[in-house]
Amino acid sequence: MGDKSANADAPMFKRLALIGVGLIGSSISHAARRGGLVGEIVGCSSSVETCKRAEELGLATKMYTDPAQAVDDADLVILCTPVGAYAGVAKAIGPHLEQGAIVSDVGSVKAAVIRDIAPHIPHGVHFIAGHPVAGTEQSGPDAGFAELFDGRWCILTPEDGADKDALAKLQTFWKRLGSEVEIMSPEHHDMVLAITSHVPHLIAYNIVNTAAHLERVTDKEVIKFSAGGFRDFTRIAASDPVMWRDVFLNNRDAVLEMLGRFSEDLVTLQRAIRFGDGATLEKMFTDARAVRRGIIQASQDTPQPDFGRRVGSSAKTPSR
Ligand code: NAP
């Protein structure tokens, strides 16, 4: 299976339509322009303010508030809104899609996204769902940068019978954006991401709220001594609330399954602490440490100690 475009330097698509130009949509625009992958980029956002800002930043030559107008004449359309908006967007663009076009998305859940988008895709248009496993806790059109996908994984979850050429072309597109590409079923994706991304975010949101509601430790102390570990949870918990609301509403079964397992393991730790079982604690902490080494060996993080950026630094921090 391989992409059939004759010239590796030529644009792969004549017009890319990005529906949503927040962190992920704007990063696709930066990376696609860096690689010369598309002839033109147009975009869509629900608010006039975001449309204006996206044009100022040069993310798109033309922005629309109506997704149906944005997909006109586009041979690649990527949905980059929170997943809760997908069904409405797909319904609006369906009748306006160009024959032969590829429609994809970047949503953090996949089975529910396919359920919401696929019924609106006309015959002759190729829909292949995707998820770049790369991001930061920031959002909006100013948050994007061209390097976001470099060395990160993009998971594609084609349905049975998906067009092979369209799949190969989308794979090549993501590779040229900087990603490694893996193909898996939507259900498997949702299970894997539930434990590697969704439950960690839920834990971060929860622990930050628990600390905020404590009565015997002041807010000032929580902030002052946050470098003890809490600070890293606050970074994850600063992620966009609408995006994460939609993730949990749309990956309910897999998240509940992983939360069940997490709760069982938490009880094991709780019992070990209660009964002074140091061997169990040490064994569980040693096992966890080995996972960190595996992530570094797979080049998904660096071994440098992370004491946080200096206050005032505006460095981008890829996280997931
Ligand atoms: P974001 O920065 O909050 O951007 C979302 C954009 O979608 C906003 O600019 C918003 O525009 C626009 N939007 C919302 N509803 C819309 C609609 N009905 N029509 C057109 N535009 C609409 O979000 P993001 O982080 O880029 O996430 C986008 C998608 O990527 C989500 O599905 C998420 O699951 C997935 N994802 C996120 C990450 C991450 O780390 N953030 C990583 C991988 C995948 P307005 O400003 O005009 O409201």
Side-chain angles (χ1 to χ4, degrees), residues 16 20 39 48 63 68 79 96 132 136 141 145 167-168 192 205 213 217 225 247 290 297 304 315:
L16 162 63
V48 175
M63 288 291 300
L79 274 60
H96 304 274
T136 76
F145 52 106
L167 176 60
V192 172
Y205 281 125
H213 299 150
V217 180
F225 300 116
V247 167
Q297 274 160 14
Q304 272 81 43

Side-chain angles (χ1 to χ4, degrees), residues 19-25 44-47 50 80-83 85-86 89 106-108 131-132 134-136 138-141 240 243 247 320:
I19 312 300
V21 285
L23 168 69
I24 302 296
C44 165
S45 204
S46 39
S47 71
T50 301
C80 306
T81 69
V83 294
Y86 278 6
V89 169
V106 295
S108 306
H131 175 204
T136 76
Q138 291 167 346
S139 50
D240 189 73
M243 175 201 144
V247 167
R320 59 192 178 272

Side-chain angles (χ1 to χ4, degrees), residues 11 13-17 38-42 61-62:
F13 296 94
K14 70 176 185 313
R15 180 178 290 181
L16 162 63
V38 293
E40 187 191 3
I41 302 177
V42 295
T61 48
K62 181 94 185 98

